[in-house]
Amino acid sequence: MQEHDCSPLSDYIEYPEAEMLERSQSFYNDIKRRHSIRSFSDRPVSKEIIENCLKAAGTAPSGANHQPWHFVAVSSAEIKKQIREQAEHHERGFYEGRAGEEWLNALKDLGTDANKPYLEHAPWLIAIFSQKKGGITNTDNEEDKKTNYYVHESVGIATGILITALHNAGLTTLTHTPKPMSFLNKVCQRGDNERAYMLLIAGYPAADATIPAHAQVKKPLTDIATFL
Ligand SMILES: Cc1cc2nc3c(=O)[nH]c(=O)nc-3n(C[C@H](O)[C@H](O)[C@H](O)COP(=O)(O)O)c2cc1C
């Protein structure tokens, strides 16, 4: 290994094997209660909870540790309204033909359509942006910005941790990808160097929230994993 500045791994915790087994089972039992929902309560959620979940997301591994992400957490009613109006506008085009027959058929079992009232009901919308350039210390000077690596993969991992952290905190989420999502740059005041990656809706579920039967079918381990 090349010489580099480093420090001992001091925060690693080794659990006895029985405890590892218990922890792995109990994490699975908990994460399998995560469901995407499309009906949120307007009950407020404190900013501190969202901040902690974002800090958890910010610990994600990333190409060359460039952390090519930016999260815009929106609780402003005015901005949520703008996001809903624009998302519904684009989604109408999607559902009225742009998606194509095959994609619309794949969505049938989820019961989704162009109406997104939850974009205003939910207490928090988290717009996630990816950065093609920036490096580990971001600078406002475009010329000085370093190339980021494995941007898509890195932001995907950070988003996964964020969803898990929100679930762990006791919140429900929806991963939403209005198509196209570029309107989010303007609404969230992010520059051209950033690309809207995903919109997460987070909050308490509405009393009548449901989960589609289609979404409850998860492939068995034998289908998703191979041990060699
Ligand atoms: C990348 C991605 C994009 C998604 N986009 C949407 C979306 O635009 N609208 C929506 O209602 N659900 C969307 N979903 C949610 C999926 O429909 C949902 O994850 C899937 O049906 C499985 O349900 P579950 O999350 O409850 O396990 C998206 C999920 C992912 C991972």
Side-chain angles (χ1 to χ4, degrees):
M1 215 184 236
Q2 277 183 48
E3 215 171 286
H4 60 290
D5 192 17
C6 58
S7 56
L9 174 65
S10 55
D11 52 3
Y12 171 75
I13 302 172
E14 182 179 319
Y15 302 105
E17 179 130 3
E19 192 177 338
M20 272 170 84
L21 189 60
E22 207 286 312
R23 287 175 66 92
S24 60
Q25 181 66 47
S26 114
F27 182 77
Y28 168 57
N29 288 344
D30 189 63
I31 200 67
K32 74 179 180 193
R33 294 187 305 98
R34 180 211 58 80
H35 304 289
S36 295
I37 57 146
R38 295 170 182 83
S39 184
F40 286 81
S41 154
D42 60 4
R43 202 169 141 198
V45 170
S46 82
K47 186 179 170 205
E48 288 73 21
I49 295 171
I50 302 300
E51 281 176 339
N52 284 336
C53 296
L54 292 173
K55 283 197 267 183
T59 67
S62 63
N65 197 28
H66 282 191
Q67 303 155 60
W69 44 67
H70 189 86
F71 303 94
V72 179
V74 178
S75 63
S76 147
E78 179 48 39
I79 301 177
K80 285 194 284 187
K81 184 163 179 270
Q82 285 176 34
I83 292 178
R84 178 181 178 183
E85 279 169 5
Q86 302 234 28
E88 287 186 337
H89 167 74
H90 290 299
E91 291 281 280
R92 272 193 290 277
F94 177 83
Y95 282 95
E96 282 166 13
R98 199 160 22 84
E101 205 178 328
E102 190 179 351
W103 197 340
L104 289 179
N105 268 337
L107 291 175
K108 241 183 210 151
D109 290 336
L110 294 173
T112 54
D113 60 28
N115 298 311
K116 312 288 174 195
Y118 49 76
L119 291 175
E120 280 189 88
H121 294 167
W124 290 98
L125 306 182
I126 305 175
I128 303 167
F129 293 87
S130 64
Q131 302 168 331
K132 257 167 100 173
K133 292 185 128 208
I136 186 163
T137 42
N138 230 330
T139 154
D140 285 339
N141 186 353
E142 285 300 319
E143 310 247 302
D144 291 343
K145 284 189 171 166
K146 296 209 166 66
T147 302
N148 291 333
Y149 306 99
Y150 295 114
V151 172
H152 210 73
E153 294 83 348
S154 304
V155 182
I157 295 170
T159 302
I161 293 180
L162 177 57
I163 293 170
T164 308
L166 291 163
H167 167 77
N168 179 61
L171 296 171
T172 47
T173 57
L174 175 66
T175 316
H176 184 31
T177 41
K179 242 180 148 17
M181 262 190 294
S182 42
F183 72 87
L184 285 171
N185 282 65
K186 195 158 178 217
V187 180
C188 298
Q189 300 162 32
R190 302 307 301 169
D192 292 344
N193 174 46
E194 295 189 358
R195 190 153 175 231
Y197 182 83
M198 213 167 266
L199 184 61
L200 271 190
I201 294 98
Y204 294 97
D208 63 355
T210 56
I211 34 174
H214 175 78
Q216 293 175 59
V217 180
K218 297 298 182 196
K219 293 180 181 176
L221 185 63
T222 45
D223 276 14
I224 64 166
T226 302
F227 291 82
L228 299 176

